[in-house]
Amino acid sequence: MTDDVKDANRIDSVELFLAHALTLENEAADGYQEIGDSMAVHNNPEVAGLFLQMCKYGRMHADEVRELATGLDLPHIPPWEYSWEDGESPESASMDKMHYMMQPAQALALAMKAERQAHAFYAGVAASTANPRVRELAQQFAAEESEHVRLLGEWIAKYPPADDNWDYDPDPPAMPE
Amino acid sequence: MSGDTVSIAISGAGGAGVMTAAQMLLDAAAKAGFYGLMARSSGPQIRGGEVAAFLRLGSRPVECLDDRFDVMVALDWLNVERFAGEIVLDGASVVLCDADAGEAPERIRASGAQLVPLPLQETVKNLPGGRMNMLGLGLLTGLTGLPEDVVGGVVAKGLKKRGQEVLDAGLAGVRAGMALVAASEVPACRLGSSPPAVAPRWNISGNEAAGLGCIRGGIRFVAAYPITPATEILEWLAPSLEKVGGVLVQAEDELASINMIIGGSFGGTPALTATSGPGLALMMESIGLAVASETPIVVIDVMRGGPSTGIPTKSEQSDLNIALYGLHGDAPHIVTAARSIADCQFTAQWSVHLAEQLQVPVIVLTDQSLGQSRAIVDRPADLAFIGRREMPVAGVTGYQRYALTASGVSPMAIPGIPGGEYIADGLEHAVSGRPSSGNEDHSAQLDKRARKLELFDYGDHWADVEGDGPLAIVTLGSCSGPVREACARAKALGIATRLISLRLLAPAQEDRFAKALEGADRVLVVEQTHSKQFYRYLRAHYDLPRDLKVLSRPGPLPIRPGEVFDCIKAWS
Amino acid sequence: MSGDTVSIAISGAGGAGVMTAAQMLLDAAAKAGFYGLMARSSGPQIRGGEVAAFLRLGSRPVECLDDRFDVMVALDWLNVERFAGEIVLDGASVVLCDADAGEAPERIRASGAQLVPLPLQETVKNLPGGRMNMLGLGLLTGLTGLPEDVVGGVVAKGLKKRGQEVLDAGLAGVRAGMALVAASEVPACRLGSSPPAVAPRWNISGNEAAGLGCIRGGIRFVAAYPITPATEILEWLAPSLEKVGGVLVQAEDELASINMIIGGSFGGTPALTATSGPGLALMMESIGLAVASETPIVVIDVMRGGPSTGIPTKSEQSDLNIALYGLHGDAPHIVTAARSIADCQFTAQWSVHLAEQLQVPVIVLTDQSLGQSRAIVDRPADLAFIGRREMPVAGVTGYQRYALTASGVSPMAIPGIPGGEYIADGLEHAVSGRPSSGNEDHSAQLDKRARKLELFDYGDHWADVEGDGPLAIVTLGSCSGPVREACARAKALGIATRLISLRLLAPAQEDRFAKALEGADRVLVVEQTHSKQFYRYLRAHYDLPRDLKVLSRPGPLPIRPGEVFDCIKAWS
Amino acid sequence: MTALAQTPALTAAAYKSDYRPVWCPGCGHYSVLSSLTKALAELGLQRENVAVISGIGCSSRIPAYTSVYGFHSVHGRALPVATGLKVARPDLTVVVAGGDGDGYSIGGNHFLHACRRNVDLTYLVMDNQVYGMTKGQASPTTPADWDRSKLTPHGTGVSPFHPLAVALAAGANFIARCYAGDPNGTARVITEAVRHPGFSMVQILSQCVTYQPSQKEWKTTVRKADVTTTRDAVRAARWLMADDGLSTGVLYIGHRPIYRPELQASCSVDDLESGFVV
Amino acid sequence: MTALAQTPALTAAAYKSDYRPVWCPGCGHYSVLSSLTKALAELGLQRENVAVISGIGCSSRIPAYTSVYGFHSVHGRALPVATGLKVARPDLTVVVAGGDGDGYSIGGNHFLHACRRNVDLTYLVMDNQVYGMTKGQASPTTPADWDRSKLTPHGTGVSPFHPLAVALAAGANFIARCYAGDPNGTARVITEAVRHPGFSMVQILSQCVTYQPSQKEWKTTVRKADVTTTRDAVRAARWLMADDGLSTGVLYIGHRPIYRPELQASCSVDDLESGFVV
Ligand SMILES: Cc1ncc(C[n+]2csc(CCOP(=O)(O)OP(=O)(O)O)c2C)c(N)n1
Ligand SMILES: Cc1ncc(C[n+]2csc(CCOP(=O)(O)OP(=O)(O)O)c2C)c(N)n1
Ligand code: SF4
Ligand code: SF4
Ligand SMILES: [Mg+2]
Ligand SMILES: [Mg+2]
C-alpha cells in the first residue's frame, strides 16, 4: 500500500540510493531485533536467537552502507516517501506473520522472503537507474543479497520442517489485566 | 508431604501445556477418589508466557496450598524465576527437570531440593507427535502412584476430539513418563489409599461455584463488564442462565452493568453483577441508589491486588474497606465473604437470599485465589435459600412503597401488579416514595433501612466457629483454609485454638461475636491486606481482648498454613 | 439572645426577596463592626419556592447558628411549615408577621413566641415601588439598632444598578419598616456595641473560602462537573483562576473531571476538583489511580444528605466513610476536614500543600452548612503553605520515578524535563515505573506509599485542641462550632472540658491523639451522621477511654450548641 | 392514522399522579408530561404495565408526576436502568425520560450504546440546552457563545452536541424531534415511538424559562421539517449534518435488528450441576 | 511534501524504550508502535516534550514501550487524562492511544466529548474489534455474529459501532483510518494528525492474532479510500454512513474552533481577596 504511486525503483542519485539502502538495512535490523525480542519474551529462545542473529547481520550491513556514505550528504526522506514497491522497506520481515510457537524453519523462511525482496529491490534499481555509479552499487548490493539468500537456504536445510501441530497450544490464554 | 497430602508444582513456557497436564492430573486424582486443589500463576504475556500450576492432592478435602512443594516438574527453565516466591522448595523436595535444558536457576539450586535431570526433550523427540506436558503427566502418574488406567481415561477424554493420532501420542507420552520415573532413583511421593467416595464429588472453581450459587438462589438477570479475575463467573453464567430462562447482558461499562441490574431487579427479577476492584469502585454511586431505593441486587467482587489497576492476576483481600464503607452517605448494606472454593456457592446463594429478603444490595467478596482455583469437593448439600421478596397483592389500595414496618422491610410492588404503581427513588423520600427533605422522613427512612438489617436473624451462617481454645483466630475469606489447617497442626501439638471465620462482615454481629469469643483471652487476626483493614474493622465494631496480634500481609503470595501455625506456636 | 448574639430568621415565598434582605442585613452588620453568620434553607422549587434565611449577629466571631431564634420576620405564611424544624422559637422569641396574611401556622403558635402582626402588605402597597423585603430589612434595622445610614449605604450599593427609582423605593421601605417597629410595642433586640475592627473583615462563604485557599495553595487547574452544594466553589474559581493564569474546565462528568485533574497534575500544574457525595463516589476508581501513580490532586467534597441523591440541599457528615475507606485496594491517602467557614480556606490551602508535598490525593471534607453559609470573619492570617513538589533536575540520568527513598517521597519529573521521561502507572510497578507483579515490588511500593504519609510531620495542624478538662469532646467539621460554643457555656458553669476538633482525619495521628487525650477520662464524640461513622473510625484507630458517649444525628437539622451542652451537663 | 380504533380505557389525566410538579411555571417540561400522558392514553396501556425511568434533573422528575411505575434513578443512568428492566421484563412498556445534561453529558456513553443495542425503549430527551436543576450551567447542547453561567463566563467555546446526528451514527432506528410548544404533535410522535419496535430517540425542545429565557423564541423559530421520514440512513445523515436543530418530525426510521433475548428455560437448575461431577 | 526539511534530530528507534512488549508476536500493535515512533521522529520532537497517554488494554500498554513521558491510566479514561494535561500544558505534544474497548465501550462518553471539545490531541485507536487483554470478549466494533466469546455465545446480536461516523457526528475535525499492516502509511497519517490543530481521530485497524485470527484477511481486504480528503461535513457524513470500515486515508478535515484557554495571569492572588473585604 502506498499513497503515491511513483515510478517505482527509479533512483538516479548515489545519495538517494544510499539513503534507501541505509534505511532498508536499518529497518531490517530493527525489525529482526523487535521480532527476536518478542520471541524471547514469549519463551521461544531458539527462534529468538535466529532473529537476533539476523539482526546482527543487518547492523553490519548498515554499517557498511554508512561507510560508503561518508562524506556524502544523504537526503532526509520521510518513511512513506521511499521508493519501495509496496510502501514498506523490502527487507522487513513483517511482524504479522509471527507466532510465539513458530519453529526455526518457519522463521528462516520469513527471513528468506525478506532477503529475496531486498535482492529484488537492488536488482530493480540496478536495472532502471540512469546513473552508472548507482547501478554499480546496486548490483553489488544485489549480489550480497543473493549471497544471503543462498546462505539462508543452507541454514534452512539444517532444520526439519515444522510439524502439522506446530501451533497447537492446549492451554487457554492468560488474562494479565 | 504435609500429613496426608502431596504438593506438586508444574512449570513451563506457554505452549508446553502445563495447565492441561495439571488439570488432567487433578481430574485423574478425583476419579481415583482423592480430593485436591489446583491454582495457577502466569507471566504478563497473553500467550506463550511462563506458566506454573500448583496442585495439592490428598485423601481429605484440601482448602489451601501447602507451605512447600514435594515435587516440582519443570518442563523447561524459561523465566521460571518469576515463580521463585511461589514455588517453595526445601531439602525434602524433588525437582524433575530436563537434562538438556541447561542449569537450573540459582534459587532452585539454592533451595536444597534434590534435582533429578531426566531426558525429557529427548524422549519427546523420539515419540511421534509427543508432547512435553503428557510426559510430565506421566512422570507425576508414576510418582504419585495414580492408577495408569484412570490417568489414561482422563487423557482419552481430553484428547479424543483431536483425533486418534494425538490421543495415542498422548498416552504414549504418559507411559514414557512413567517409565522414566520407574527407571530413575526418584523417591516416590505416593498418594496413600483413596478414601471411598461416599457422595458424588465435583471438580469446580470458585468462580463457577459462585455462579451456581447465584442461579440456585434465584438470579435470572446478569449484566456485567469483563474484568480479571471475575470474568469466569460471567463465562459460566452466560450459557447457564440461558438454559434456565435467564439472560446475561454484556454492558458497555460497569456504570451500565450496575444500573442494568437495578433495573432488572426493579422489574422483579433477582439480578447480579460480578466484577473486581476497579469495577466495584465505579459501581459505588449506584449501589447507593439500590440502598436508598431498596432494590435488591447482588454484586460479587473477586478481589485482586490493589490499589488501582494493581495486580489483576493475583489475590489480595484489600477491597474489604471499599466493600464495607465505600458508599457515600449512611448506606447500610450487606457484605459477605466466601471462605473456600466450595463456600463460594453457599455464600453466593445465601447472599441472593439475603438481598431479596431484605431488599438491599449485597456485596459478596471472593478473591482471585478462590475464584480462579479449582478444587475437588464433595457435592454440597442442597440449600433452602431462595430469594423471596415480600410483595403487595394485586389490587392493593393506598400502597406505600416505603411504609414503616416493624421489621423495616416494606412489601415491594413489581411492575405488572395493579395498584402497586410507585416511583422508586434515590432522593430521600416519604413512605409513598415522594421526594422529601424533611427531618422526620429522613430519620424514619434511615432508621428503617438500618433496622431491617439489624433485626434480621442471620442464624449460624454469620461465621464458622470451630474449637474453643483460649486463642481465637479471627479471619475471613481465603485465609480461612490456611488458618483451619494451622489450627489442626496446633491441635496435633496439643495447642487448643478456636477458629472464627466470618461469612457475614456487615452488618456486624456484636452479640454473636462476643459469644463466639467467650472464654478466649487472646486473638490473632489473619488477613491478606497491607493496611490491616480487617483488624481495623474488627476494632471498630467488636470488643476485642487487649492481647491481640495481627498477621497481615498484602498479596501476591498467599498466606500459608505454616505462617499461621508459627504465629500460634510462638504465642503458646 | 444567647449571650452577646442576636438570632434572626426571615421567611417568605420566592420572589419576596428574603435572601436579598438577609444578605443586606449581614453586610450592614459587618459594616457596623459586627460579626455574623448567615445560612439558608429553601423548598424544592427552582424558583418561587419558600425560602428562609437564618442570621446570627454579634460582637464576637460566630461559628454556628444558635439553638433558637430571637426574632422571626415572616413576610408571608406560605409553606412556612417546611422550616418548622429549623426555626426554633420559644416564649422569649418575637415573630413579626403580616397582619393580613391570615393565621400563623399551628407550630408557630404552639411555640409560645410572641406574635406581632404588623400591617406589612398594607404599608408596602402604599409605597410606590415598595417591596416586602425592604420593609422587612427596615423592621430588623429598627429591632437590632443597626445605624440607618449603614443600612442605607448597603441598600444603595445593592440597588444602584437597578436605577434611582428602585433605590429610592428600597430606602423608603427600610424607613417604613423602622417606623413600624418604632410605633409598635415590639421588644428591641439590640446588637450591643460594635467592637473596634482591629483587622480588616471579610464577608465570605465556606465555598468561596475553600476556593481562595486552593488558589493560595497553588491550584491552577480545575476540572469539575456541577453539583449541589459544591457548585459555588466552581463559580468562584472559574473567573478567579482566569485572573491568576489558571483555568477551569467544565467536564462531561465526574469521571472526566477527576481524570482531567490527574492529567493536569501529571503535567506539573497543581490541580483540583470539587464535588459532593454522588460525584465523589464516581471518582473513587481514579482517586486510586492517583494513589498508585503518586499524582498529587485535591478533591473537595462538600457533603450533603445521603445516601444516593439523598437531600442535596442539606448538610450531613455522612461521606466520612467513603472519604476514608472508599478506595479499592490498600490506598493510603489524606483526608482533611474544614472546621468552620473561615477554616475552609486554611484547610484547603494546607491540603494543596500536603498533596503536592506528598504526591498523594487529598480529600477535603466540608459540608453544605459550611459551604453555602456566609460569615463575617477577621481576615485570615497569611499562610506559608504552598504546594511544592520535589522534582529531579533537568538532564538527570538513570531517573527512577518510584525510587525507594527514606521519606517515601520520590522526586517527580514533569514533562519538559529532559531525562525525566517516565510512564506513570496504576498497575503495580518497579521503581522505574514498569509494571511488575512481583512480591518484592508490590511490598516495597505499598510500604513507600504508606510510609510517606506516616513519616510526614503534620505539626499542630492535625487538630484544634482547646482546654484540658477531664471530659474530652472529639468532633470534626461543622460540628466544631456548636461544640466550641457548648464548651464555652460549660466553662461559664465551671465545667472544664477539652475540645479536640480534627482537621486531619487520615492518616490517623495515634501519638498526637493520645497526647491530646492525656488526663481525659471521658470522651464525648459529636458528629452528624446516622451510623456513627466518626465514632467507628475513632475506635478503629485510637485508644479511647471506656467511658464514652456519642452524640450522633443525621441531617438535615444542624447539631445545635445546646444539644452538646445538654450532653455535657448531664454527664458532669 | 396511527391512532387506536376504539376509545382508550383511561384518560390522559388518569396517567398523572396527584403530586404537583415543582417545575417553574412556564417550563416546557409541563407540556412534555401532558404529551406523554396523552400518548399513554392513546396507546391504551394499563398503568401497571408501563414504567417511566429517569435520571436526575428538572426533567428527570417526570416519573413522580405520572401514575405508572417508575424509577427516579441517579444522574445519567436512566438508560441502563431501563435497559435492564426491559430485557428482564420484555412484557412491559418502558419509557425513558430526562434532560440534555443527564442524557448527553454524564449519560453520553449509555446514549451511544442504547442507540446501538436497540432494546425496545422510547427515550424522551427534554432538551433545554442547559442544566436547569443546578442553576443553569452549559449543557452539551448549549450554544458555544452562551455566557450566562459563571462556570463558562465567556461561553463554552465548544460547538454544541448534535444529538440526532450522533444517534443516527450510533445506530438508532427511530429518530424524531418535537417541540414542547406543540404538545399534541409531541403526543403523536411519542405514540409512534412507543409503537416502533426497538430504541426510539425523541428529542423534545423544552424551554427552560428560568435559565434560557430566549427559548421563548422557539415559538416562532421551530418549524416542521421540510422532509418526510426517510428510511435511508445515508440520506438521513446528510440531512442531519446540515440541520439547524429547529425542525421537527419523525426524521428517520431504520430497520436494524432489535435486541431482545429469549427468556425460555430449556433445563432445570439441577441439570447445570452435571458439568461439575467428577 | 509534509515532511521536515531537515533531518530529524532523533531516529525513530530513539523513541522506543528498552522495555520489550508483552504483546503476542504477530499483534498489530507492534506496527502501531513503530508508526508512532517514526512519526515522532519525522516531527522532530524532543522526547521530553511529548506525552503518550493510555487507558488499559493490550493496546494501552504502548506508552511503556516509548521513551517519552506517558501515563498508563485506568480503563477508559485516557482521553480525560490527556485533556487535562494538554489544557494545563499547551506547550506539550499529547498523543492518546488505546483500544476499541477502552475507547468506545467504557470510554465512549469521553470519546464523544473529546470530539466535541476539540482540544489539540491526537487519538490513536488500535481497533482489533475485541477485548484482547481480557481473553477476547466482543467490543463495540465486533461484528454482530461473532460467537467466539463465552459471554456472547450466539454473537452479540448488536450492530457494530461505527467510530468514524460517530466522531464526525460528535464534531471531530480530523478523521482518518489506517491499517497496522501499512506502518509507513500509518506513520504519515499520525504525522498529519499531530500537525492538525485540535482533536484528531485516527482509527487504526490493528489485528489481534490471538482472538481475531481472521483479521489476517485485512492484508487483502483493506484498501485506500476511493475518495480524497473532504472538508465538507455533509459529504463526509454521507460517505461514512455507507462505508464498510475497510478503506483507509484521511477522510475528513473540518475547521471548528479549537479549545485552548489562555493561561495568562492578569492580577495577583492577593487581588482576589478584594471581593471579600467588608
Ligand atoms: C453524579 C452527579 N453529578 C452531578 C449531579 C448534579 N446534577 C443534578 S441535575 C444536573 C443537571 C441536569 O440537567 P438536565 O439533565 O439537562 O436537566 P434539566 O434540569 O435541565 O431538566 C446535575 C449536574 C448529580 N445529581 N449527580
Ligand atoms: C474498570 C475496569 N473494567 C474492566 C477492566 C478489564 N479490562 C482490562 S483491558 C479490557 C479491554 C481491553 O480491550 P481494548 O481496549 O480493545 O484493548 P486490546 O486489549 O484489545 O488492545 C478490559 C475489559 C479494567 N481493567 N478496569
Ligand atoms: S429551572 Fe428551567 S428546566 Fe428547571 S423547572 Fe425551571 S424552567 Fe424548567
Ligand atoms: S491478545 Fe490480541 S491484542 Fe492482545 S497482544 Fe495478543 S494479539 Fe495483540
Ligand atoms: Mg437540561
Ligand atoms: Mg481491542
Side-chain angles (χ1 to χ4, degrees), chain A residues 11 31 43 65 74 81 83 91 98 102 145 147 154 160 166:
Chain A
I11 293 176
N43 293 307
V65 178
L74 299 195
E81 295 198 353
S83 302
E91 199 178 324
M98 301 301 145
M102 87 195 310
E145 294 297 341
E147 176 61 9
E154 285 176 10
W166 67 271

Side-chain angles (χ1 to χ4, degrees), chain C residues 175-506:
Chain C
R175 277 191 302 272
M178 294 179 71
L180 276 180
V181 167
S184 76
E185 309 271 83
V186 199
C189 212
R190 305 220 162 252
L191 264 171
S193 60
S194 61
V198 194
R201 299 245 174 90
W202 286 1
N203 177 338
I204 197 165
S205 74
N207 278 341
E208 290 165 348
L212 180 63
C214 291
I215 290 192
R216 282 212 168 279
I219 296 293
R220 289 297 178 275
F221 181 68
V222 175
Y225 189 72
I227 187 167
T228 307
T231 306
E232 295 89 357
I233 299 187
L234 312 173
E235 289 180 338
W236 187 84
L237 277 172
S240 302
L241 277 168
E242 192 183 308
K243 290 185 193 133
V244 297
V247 63
L248 178 144
V249 176
Q250 184 182 316
E252 56 269 32
D253 59 18
E254 286 88 352
L255 301 164
S257 54
I258 185 75
N259 284 289
M260 285 181 184
I261 69 167
I262 289 174
S265 176
F266 170 76
T269 307
L272 166 115
T273 189
T275 187
S276 188
L280 182 65
L282 289 172
M283 294 178 182
M284 296 322 280
E285 188 205 9
S286 293
I287 297 179
L289 173 64
V291 170
S293 65
E294 303 198 47
T295 310
I297 52 167
V298 178
V299 178
I300 302 184
D301 175 30
V302 186
M303 297 185 283
R304 63 192 218 182
S308 196
T309 313
I311 311 185
T313 52
K314 297 289 179 178
S315 210
E316 208 167 68
Q317 297 183 317
S318 52
D319 290 351
L320 183 60
N321 272 345
I322 185 174
L324 289 167
Y325 299 114
L327 301 171
H328 70 278
D330 284 300
H333 60 287
I334 294 180
V335 182
T336 58
R339 300 172 24 270
S340 69
I341 291 176
D343 191 57
C344 287
Q345 187 194 335
F346 184 103
T347 299
Q349 186 169 344
W350 189 50
S351 298
V352 176
H353 166 73
L354 294 177
E356 293 286 318
Q357 209 77 29
L358 295 170
Q359 300 175 21
V360 77
V362 178
I363 300 177
V364 183
L365 297 175
T366 74
D367 62 29
Q368 184 275 337
S369 79
L370 297 177
Q372 294 193 323
S373 301
R374 308 193 69 80
I376 309 300
V377 299
D378 291 320
R379 179 187 180 285
D382 287 334
L383 303 173
F385 308 131
I386 298 241
R388 259 191 250 291
R389 233 177 260 186
E390 211 177 313
M391 288 186 213
V393 292
V396 57
T397 57
Y399 173 65
Q400 297 195 311
R401 168 64 184 103
Y402 301 108
L404 302 174
T405 58
S407 68
V409 176
S410 328
M412 177 175 181
I414 64 163
I417 298 184
E421 296 85 359
Y422 78 100
I423 310 300
D425 208 328
L427 274 174
E428 192 54 282
H429 39 255
V431 289
S432 62
R434 285 182 185 173
S436 164
S437 60
N439 181 39
E440 289 82 5
D441 286 327
H442 189 39
S443 282
Q445 294 293 322
L446 283 168
D447 284 347
K448 113 184 247 296
R449 293 191 291 255
R451 180 167 74 238
K452 65 181 181 181
L453 300 195
E454 276 155 22
L455 295 184
F456 187 77
D457 181 3
Y458 300 90
D460 287 339
H461 312 305
W462 75 281
D464 274 6
V465 183
E466 294 166 16
D468 54 7
L471 170 57
I473 307 169
V474 183
T475 192
L476 83 166
S478 60
C479 287
S480 306
V483 170
R484 176 175 290 126
E485 184 156 340
C487 290
R489 291 190 202 170
K491 193 171 176 189
L493 284 193
I495 307 171
T497 59
R498 81 176 73 183
L499 163 76
I500 307 180
S501 163
L502 270 57
R503 185 182 281 112
L504 180 66
L505 300 172

Side-chain angles (χ1 to χ4, degrees), chain D residues 99-101 126 128 130-132:
Chain D
D100 43 323
M126 298 146 82
N128 53 14
V130 78
Y131 294 171

Side-chain angles (χ1 to χ4, degrees), chain E residues 99-101 126 128-132:
Chain E
D100 42 322
M126 298 147 82
N128 53 15
Q129 307 178 341
V130 78
Y131 294 170

Side-chain angles (χ1 to χ4, degrees), chain B residues 433-454:
Chain B
R434 285 183 185 171
S436 163
S437 59
N439 179 41
E440 289 82 5
D441 286 327
H442 189 39
S443 282
Q445 294 294 322
L446 283 168
D447 285 346
K448 113 184 245 300
R449 293 191 292 256
R451 181 166 74 238
K452 66 182 181 182
L453 301 195
E454 276 155 23

Side-chain angles (χ1 to χ4, degrees), chain A residues 177, chain B residues 225-228 254 278-279 282 304 309, chain C residues 285, chain E residues 29 56-59 75 99-102 106 128 130-134:
Chain A
E177 267 159 42
Chain B
Y225 189 71
I227 188 166
T228 308
E254 286 87 353
L282 288 173
R304 64 191 215 181
T309 313
Chain C
E285 188 205 9
Chain E
H29 302 347
I56 295 289
C58 293
S59 35
H75 193 38
D100 42 322
D102 193 73
I106 190 166
N128 53 15
V130 78
Y131 294 170
M133 184 59 99
T134 47

